[in-house]
Amino acid sequence: MPHGTSPQRERHATHRTRPSRRELAIQWIQQPDGTTCGPTTAAMILQAHRITKTVDDTKPYVKYSASAGTNRHNLAAGLNQLQSERTYKVIDGDKGSGIRETRDHLLNDAKRSIRTNAPIALAINGRLPHYTRTVDHWVAVIGVDRNNLLIADPTAQRPGFANVQPKSWIPIDQIPIKAYLLPTPRT
């Protein structure tokens, strides 16, 4: 024990509460080109369901199109077809009562989902930290704490995104939510 520290003070210091941080053991996958963020996000999410698929394997299930990418309903349908543990439901972030409430819902949904080993597919429309431009993009939410989400970003370290880390903790108020796919247990 350091000089001048009482046993009572030392004991108190070790019992301080810190925000709970949960992180899923998901291996990051880089998207192979500029438009396959949807199939790549699906491949990362499937790891939590103990399913290994390549980006090319997921493309037909999510109805990927090189010209249009992957829309939220097709990504949800593809994930629902590729695994049987969860039903992925589309939650629109660009409709409803406002961005603050949408962010609160996403944060609370992430806390419940990550606790049950279920990552969330997140569609963004805007800029995440370290982005040099606005994008319409899919990422995987693989961790959560009090006010932050751990994002696995398939575009990280690609041309134009060299400063983006494969996995990074991002404050919920810096995430431009377009929609997310909420996993719920199948009954």
Side-chain angles (χ1 to χ4, degrees):
M1 180 176 315
H3 178 69
T5 303
S6 71
Q8 189 173 36
R9 178 173 278 206
E10 184 70 21
R11 189 169 40 251
H12 177 70
T14 61
H15 284 86
R16 288 185 187 163
T17 58
R18 293 180 4 185
S20 176
R21 184 170 266 194
R22 294 182 181 269
E23 180 178 342
L24 301 178
I26 301 292
Q27 181 180 348
W28 172 74
I29 303 171
Q30 186 179 54
Q31 65 189 70
D33 56 41
T35 63
T36 52
C37 55
T40 307
T41 297
M44 286 190 284
I45 285 175
L46 289 169
Q47 293 175 39
H49 302 286
R50 296 170 305 283
I51 298 169
T52 303
K53 294 281 184 192
T54 67
V55 173
D56 285 337
D57 291 339
T58 66
K59 285 179 181 180
Y61 292 95
V62 301
K63 296 188 168 117
Y64 163 76
S65 160
S67 62
T70 307
N71 78 43
R72 59 191 102 177
H73 299 286
N74 289 340
L75 186 58
L79 285 169
N80 292 336
Q81 195 175 8
L82 285 162
Q83 54 78 43
S84 59
E85 294 176 0
R86 311 271 176 192
T87 298
Y88 281 85
K89 174 183 159 188
V90 174
I91 306 295
D92 286 316
D94 50 3
K95 297 179 183 172
S97 57
I99 190 65
R100 179 142 188 95
E101 187 170 323
T102 300
R103 286 176 173 152
D104 289 344
H105 285 299
L106 173 57
L107 187 62
N108 289 326
D109 287 341
K111 288 174 182 176
R112 283 188 296 275
S113 295
I114 299 301
R115 190 177 314 120
T116 63
N117 199 40
I120 292 175
L122 172 62
I124 63 166
N125 189 359
R127 287 183 185 193
L128 290 175
H130 305 293
Y131 278 30
T132 57
R133 64 181 185 270
T134 299
V135 295
D136 198 11
H137 183 51
W138 284 104
V139 297
V141 177
I142 62 167
V144 64
D145 69 13
R146 188 168 169 231
N147 292 309
N148 303 285
L149 298 179
L150 179 59
I151 302 294
D153 192 338
T155 199
Q157 302 174 352
R158 288 194 44 78
F161 297 91
N163 292 330
V164 176
Q165 294 300 308
K167 295 180 182 181
S168 58
W169 289 95
I170 300 177
I172 190 71
D173 63 356
Q174 293 181 22
I175 299 175
I177 303 164
K178 180 177 181 178
Y180 61 97
L181 305 185
L182 179 63
T184 57
R186 290 197 182 174
T187 55

